[in-house]
Structure formats: structure tokens, C-alpha cells
Amino acid sequence: MKKGKKKRIMAWLLAAAVLTADICGNGSVVHAMQVTADNAMQEFSEAEQAFAELLKEYEMYGMLKGSPETAVYQEASENAVVVKKLASGYQVRFLGAVCTGELWFKVAFGIDGKEYTGFVKEHSVLTQDERMTVWKNQYFGNGGKARSAAALSAAQGGTDLSAFPSSYRSYIQNLIKAHPNWTFVPMNTGLNWSDVIENETKDSVNLVDINAPKSWKSMAAKDYNASTGQWVIKNGTTWVQASEAVIKYYIDPRNFLNEDYVFQFEQLTYNKSHHTESGVEKILSGTFMSKKELEDGSGGNITYAQAFMKIGKELKVSPYFLASRIRQEQGVKGTSALISGTYPGYKGYYNYFNIQATGVGEQVIISGLKEAKKAGWNTRYAALKGGAAKTAENYISKGQDTFYLQKFDVDASYNGLYWHQYMQNLLAAANESTNVRNSYTAMGIIDNSFVFKVPVYEGMPSTACPCPGENLDKPSIKVKKGTPGTVKISWKAIGGADGYQVYRKEGKDGKYSRIKTIKSPSTVSYQDKKAVPGKAYYYKVRAFMKSSSGNKYSSYSAVKSADCKVPATSWKKFKVSGYTAVSLSWKEANVAGYRIYRKTDSGKYVCIKKIKSKTTVSYKDKTVRPGHTYTYRIRGYQTVDGENYYSAYTSVKKAKIKKTRKR
């Protein structure tokens, strides 16, 4: 044990001893604590060595869970220099454990391709690797060997809902309610939602099958022929550019925080308590690999399931991930020339993971088999293991350690952003996660302690992005009056829409006219600034999708109305004061001011006072004369663009001024 660390532990324990002696009045406590310090140092040393032995077995990865950031220190002390501050969800690789009275971990991490090391407190890092739990229980649990440090070590685990945006919380709460052992950690990407969408909608980054719903396919892509309204299929491919609407749906993590798809956020590292041969067989069921054998690389034969288990254990990668990835890449029948072993010029070579298989048509096959030949994948097992090793090295150990992050490159720790994506198939992460989830369910371990890393973006829509259907859904609108002369119409985004049209009519007997065409699918409100006070307006909205033959429209929304009449006021007090004055007061209304009208005897009403404040709600008329009858009424007004609009009048009040007596 280093001398500096020994001093820190001694100082911590002896300080506790002195405090205890002061309280108890017993100086012998100090001597006892010195002995305890020596024992503690031995126990701490054993714990550190045991952790080092774990890491010799295979690497252990975790994620930071501080909110919003975790400080990484140069030494195992909060007084040390801060190396970096990292966001929640950042991947780290464990390098060792240090006990200083508190438990620290030495970790490695990448930033823009450069690797750094430092120390973080135990409660700031989380891993799904069950070896960590066993080690902690042995040395820091109840009855553990290093009990002294356990007293200061914060507990790991549990989901901090407050660390997530409010729009995520209900989804996560529902999952935790059903599975209390599950833990969710936000991955604060620091990326702006609009920037992510801009990059993920670039040509060929995300593809869907040609047979997908029309609203899933981009009409702005190179492979769309506007004159025919068809997508151009070249070199036998069946994939076309995905539409912005469906890309938004699949990138938005909130849409997949549910029982069916949540495992796309699970870490893809090996866990012997979760991963079994029977579980792999569940994933392979119904495919060309189900209960089928291949050479094991040493002259014998093993099943595909056994091969995935063997490779996963050796590389410390989830065998469920490996099986699901091959199922995704090669399909159920496995008829691709990349794994036939018979392609001219590349006989006896295989590329199960489609590594470097890029381009279109035959280019995909040739480029993929060139990679296989270069890597020496001349047996099926060698191709499985070699592809798995490259995937682990280039993705799982480089921050992209979930299905989601391999599909959408939003982790910049090692390989930049957006380009380092394993596949173009937009649905891949969702499909693969379903395979894994079904396997866990079939094995009866769905309630085990799983950890999920869920990306969070800045400037996200307030609600989850909708999935576009074959036909556009009907909008559901809300109408709310704003400042005088304005009405706000709002609705939820419609999946697949390219924009919206807003219609208005004046009065029940009026005719609808289009007052606004919105050419952005993400703009879901409109402010009508020409709603004249004093009138009633009726609104409806429909969505549209562009096509070569003209726009395709949804049904109109239900009609919502806004009564823009100017609020009326009413009397509070009305009093005649002798022969010379009449006092008036009324209730405050949401107006710019008031007009007071009066008529004398049977004459005409005349405005006798203009009040330019809604809070002035009284007036004393001192211009009355004896022997006359005065009738009053009041109305409020609002001013829009320099023009006044008036409310209804109040009821009338009369004041009869008596004649003065002659003396």
C-alpha cells in the first residue's frame, strides 16, 4: 500500500478514535483504533488485489451516472486535480479499485479518440457485470472483510428519475413498476435534437425496405422518381431512403421505453448469469442456424448456439447480441453469398457480420468477401469469431455498447459522430432488442438486474415523435385565446406529414378559408393574429404529405371554436349624492379601458368619460343638475392595431336628481 494512502486511512480512523475518546472519556480507544487501522489497511489491500484479479479474467466496463456531470480526478481524492468532467451515461473501463476510507475506481475513457485515465467515486459508476456485485458483497457488504470503507461507501444502483427529462419519466416508471430490479441511467449526449435529425436524414444513412408504408420512404431521396411517383431500385437492392418522420420515430428513445423494445438500451457485455446456450437457441429458433452444426476451428463440430456461447465468453461480449446480430444481418434463411462459401474468386470464405460489406448490389458481396479473405475467415467459425472480435473492438469497447448506439452513432468518445454506424437498416436496433427480450422471457430471467443506458438530447420535442402510418392520421387540435386579436391553434405532430393546413370561418354561418399552410412537419401550432375582437371563429386543421401526383391529405380535425367577444363588465355600486353628484363603480374586466355613457331625461346617450385603464373601476359624475333624470350604462373596450372593439353594455341605472327647495 502506498505511503500517502496509508496516511489518509490512518488519519481518517484516528480522527474517529479521538472523537470517540472525547465522547467516552476513554484514552485507550485511540490505541484500539490504531490496531483497527492496521487491520483495515490489510483488508483494503485484499479487496484491491481481489478486484485486480477480476480484471485479469476479462475487461469490465461501466457507465457514469452522475447528474449532470461526474468529476474524474487525477488521484483518488476530491482534493486532486480534475482530469475531466463527463456526462451521465459515459462509458468507462475499470482499471482498478482503491480504498482510502472511501471506495474509488481507477477508470479509462475516451474523448475524441484520445484515451484518458483517472479516478471516480464508487457511487458515480455503474456496471451490469455481476462480478462487481459479488466482489462488493464479499468485501463491503454486511459481514464483509473491509467493513470500515463500507461505512463511507455510497450504495450503487437504483434509478434517479429526476435525472431524466420529464417526458421520459412515465415510461421508465411503468417499467420499474413491472421490474423493480431494472436500473435506468440517462446518457446525456449533449447533442441538439435538430442536429441529430439533420445528420441521420442524409442520403443512405438510414434505409427501409421498399415494401414499407409510403410514409416511411423519402420523396426527397435520390432514388425517388418524382415524375413516376416510384422509387428506383438498382442492382437488385430492396432498400430505399427512410423518410424524416420515421427516422424521428426510431431515433426518439421514448418510443422504445416499453416491454418490447427496451433491451436496445442494454449493455452488450458478457454476463454469465444472463447468457445461456438455451437462451441463444431461443434467438436462433426458426433460422438456418437453429440446432445446426459447424466446425469449431479445432477439427470438431459444435452447434451455432454453442459457438456463440464460446465466442461470447472468450471475447466477453453478449452471445445474445452475437446471435441476434447474425440473424439480423443474414436473415432467417441465410442465403446471402457472403456466407455461402461458393462465390467465384472467394470460395471457402465467409463474412457473417457483413464487415466492410458496402456499396450496392454485387459491390456489397465483393467488398465483404475481400474483407473475409484479408482477415483469413476461411471457416464458418473463424468468420463468426473474427467478425465478433472486430465488432467488440470497434464498437462495444468504444462507447457504442448498446444496439441503439450501434445503429445511431451519437457517442463521440472514440469514433466521432453519425458515420460509425453498424448498419443502414433503420429498424435493426428495435428488431434485435426484441429477439433478446424474448430470449430472456423464455428463460425466466426477465426480472433480473438489468442496466439500461438511455440517450437524451437537447431541444427534443415535448412528446414522443409519432410513427407514420400508411395513411395520415387526423389531427387533434386545441384552440386558446391569447392577447386581444389573437388565437393559438395547436396539435400533435402527425407521423409522415410534410406539413399542415389551417382553416378558419367567421361565425356559424360563415365559410371556411385556408389562412395558413405550414411546410414543416415539426411546426405544430399557429397564431391567428387577425381574429377581430367581438366575433366568434371556428378552426380546423388537416395534415398533408407530398407526392408527385399532388398532396395527399388527412381528414380534417374536429372543429374547435374561439369566442373573441370583448369581456363585459357589471355594476357594483350606484349612488346619488345629494343634489350635485352620482357615484358609479363596476367590476374589473380584461379590457384596455371603459366608456361611460349617460342620457339626460329622454335625450340620447352621450359618452361622458373615457377611461384608459382596466383597473380604474369607479367614477363620480359631478355635472348633474337638480330636476333632471340621468340614465347610465358602461362598456369596456379592447384596442387592436389602433382600432377599438367594444363589449356589450351593462344594464342601465337611473338617478333622479330632486329639485332644491325654495326658501
Side-chain angles (χ1 to χ4, degrees), residues 58-216:
Y58 56 87
E59 291 180 339
M60 183 185 296
Y61 288 86
M63 68 184 84
L64 299 180
K65 63 186 187 78
S67 179
E69 291 182 319
T70 295
V72 183
Y73 297 92
Q74 201 170 62
E75 300 291 341
S77 168
E78 289 184 286
N79 296 322
V81 174
V82 174
V83 178
K84 294 288 181 182
K85 289 186 177 181
L86 303 178
S88 174
Y90 215 96
Q91 185 195 67
V92 296
R93 186 176 81 256
F94 290 93
L95 300 178
V98 177
C99 303
T100 65
E102 291 182 299
L103 180 56
W104 293 76
F105 290 115
K106 186 176 183 180
V107 297
F109 55 95
I111 298 178
D112 296 329
K114 182 179 180 181
E115 189 159 275
Y116 299 82
T117 63
F119 294 83
V120 294
K121 285 190 171 184
E122 172 264 343
H123 62 81
S124 298
V125 64
L126 183 65
T127 180
Q128 188 167 278
D129 195 316
E130 66 172 9
R131 296 177 300 161
M132 175 70 81
T133 302
V134 173
W135 176 78
K136 281 190 175 183
N137 287 338
Q138 182 178 357
Y139 289 95
F140 302 100
N142 292 331
K145 296 180 180 179
R147 293 178 299 278
S148 304
L152 297 183
S153 179
Q156 176 177 286
T159 299
D160 179 9
L161 278 175
S162 66
F164 285 92
S166 58
S167 61
Y168 281 64
R169 294 173 193 169
S170 62
Y171 302 107
I172 295 173
Q173 280 178 317
N174 289 336
L175 288 171
I176 293 175
K177 185 177 180 180
H179 309 281
N181 292 326
W182 289 7
T183 299
F184 295 83
V185 176
M187 176 189 171
N188 294 328
T189 64
L191 302 175
N192 187 277
W193 174 257
S194 61
D195 292 337
V196 174
I197 299 304
E198 179 182 352
N199 282 278
E200 291 290 345
T201 50
K202 289 181 178 178
D203 198 57
S204 299
V205 175
N206 285 290
L207 306 179
V208 293
D209 190 88
I210 186 63
N211 296 315
K214 186 176 182 180
S215 60
W216 287 30

Side-chain angles (χ1 to χ4, degrees), residues 31 100 140 156 212 354 358 501 559 579 625 654:
H31 174 71
T100 65
F140 302 100
Q156 176 177 286
N354 292 350
T358 59
Q501 293 178 337
V559 174
Y579 303 96
R625 296 292 181 266
K654 290 185 178 182

